[in-house]
Amino acid sequence: RNDLNDVKIAELHDNENHNPLQMIHPLPGPSSGSVDTKYGTNGQVVTEALGIPKDPPPSVMMDDGKLVIAGPADKGFILRRFLPNGKPDTAFGDNGFVKGSLGDGPNSVAQLLKANENLLVIGYSLPHGITSPLFAISMFTKDGSPNRSFGKAGFVATKIPNHPTYPITATLQTDGEQTKILIAGLALDVQSNATRLIVIRYLVNGTLDAEFLIVNENFKSLFKEGVTPFQILSTPSHFYVLVQGIFEFQ
């Protein structure tokens, strides 16, 4: 942590116990360049990892300076929140931990977003009996409880017909009156086997935005092997999806 609350999350391994660890350590501050030694222990926090995390695991800094990190769990996910001083926030969920799910069956967290005092967990789920993954979102209040005003008791999932979908990146779009949730990901066309870019938008209550046309663009004419979105940005009237792929030069 530094003067701007910047943090970096890395995965470590305990050589003695072979347990994965997560270390939250400071980035140099632009003003003084010094480490905030009041954060954790000498400016860093090392904690037992939540499952086997992605590198880096999804995380978000809330408006009050608290850091939330997500990790995988059996058929779900685990959230852990830290205070601005690096200590576990025991007021969050059960002694600092929240265990949740994005639906029945296997699921994975792609990104965390803050929405006012709420926390959005965005990813996909593969419910039993369904062959195509669903876009899924869970919303939690600041104490770690499901926000039951969102979707169906704090949860919403969307199936795109004939297109297994995998969300990768998300952002909030505010037009001055409403806040909406934009999610970009990959969709596989089961007929042509082509990889497509897909973007969907939800209202902040979890309802699919009927005024928003789902973007399902095939970039095969430009890229040899399709594209992978890695970030979505928005203004009140536009959104931009940054993608990467192997370009086909003519």
Side-chain angles (χ1 to χ4, degrees):
R1 174 187 163 198
N2 61 24
D3 296 337
L4 296 179
N5 290 327
D6 290 328
V7 296
K8 180 179 180 181
I9 302 171
E11 182 179 349
L12 303 176
H13 290 275
D14 182 343
N15 292 328
E16 180 178 353
N17 300 315
H18 303 288
N19 292 324
L21 304 174
Q22 288 171 347
M23 179 173 71
I24 307 168
H25 63 88
L27 296 175
S31 57
S32 63
S34 60
V35 172
D36 183 358
T37 56
K38 296 180 180 179
Y39 181 77
T41 303
N42 293 324
Q44 66 180 23
V45 173
V46 178
T47 179
E48 184 176 354
L50 307 178
I52 302 176
K54 294 181 179 180
D55 185 19
S59 60
V60 67
M61 184 75 74
M62 306 302 288
D63 290 336
D64 57 6
K66 297 177 181 179
L67 177 67
V68 183
I69 302 175
D74 183 29
K75 296 182 180 180
F77 57 85
I78 297 177
L79 302 173
R80 190 171 191 185
R81 193 168 72 188
F82 295 86
L83 298 171
N85 61 8
K87 295 181 179 180
D89 185 359
T90 57
F92 182 68
D94 183 8
N95 201 33
F97 291 88
V98 168
K99 186 173 182 180
S101 174
L102 290 170
D104 297 333
N107 54 89
S108 177
V109 177
Q111 189 166 344
L112 303 180
L113 288 178
K114 58 182 178 181
N116 296 323
E117 293 185 343
N118 295 297
L119 175 68
L120 292 168
V121 181
I122 298 167
Y124 74 86
S125 64
L126 187 61
H128 299 297
I130 296 180
T131 58
S132 297
L134 310 179
F135 272 37
I137 309 175
S138 289
M139 179 181 278
F140 296 88
T141 63
K142 62 181 180 179
D143 66 359
S145 302
N147 188 331
R148 299 191 177 278
S149 66
F150 179 81
K152 185 178 180 180
F155 171 77
V156 65
T158 301
K159 180 180 180 180
I160 310 299
N162 300 318
H163 288 83
T165 52
Y166 300 91
I168 294 178
T169 179
T171 191
L172 298 181
Q173 184 179 43
T174 302
D175 60 8
E177 298 179 359
Q178 296 188 68
T179 298
K180 300 178 181 180
I181 307 163
L182 276 169
I183 306 176
L186 292 177
L188 178 64
D189 190 318
V190 295
Q191 296 180 346
S192 66
N193 205 35
T195 300
R196 300 177 182 270
L197 168 67
I198 189 166
V199 181
I200 60 178
R201 190 169 67 184
Y202 297 88
L203 304 180
V204 76
N205 63 3
T207 303
L208 197 63
D209 188 352
E211 297 180 358
F212 182 76
L213 177 65
I214 293 178
V215 178
N216 195 353
E217 297 291 344
N218 186 356
F219 286 83
K220 194 172 183 180
S221 60
L222 295 177
F223 294 90
K224 288 183 178 180
E225 301 176 6
V227 298
T228 300
F230 62 89
Q231 189 172 8
I232 185 169
L233 307 170
S234 71
T235 67
S237 59
H238 296 77
F239 71 90
Y240 307 85
V241 181
L242 307 183
V243 300
Q244 60 185 3
I246 301 175
F247 190 76
E248 180 72 65
F249 288 98
Q250 302 296 329

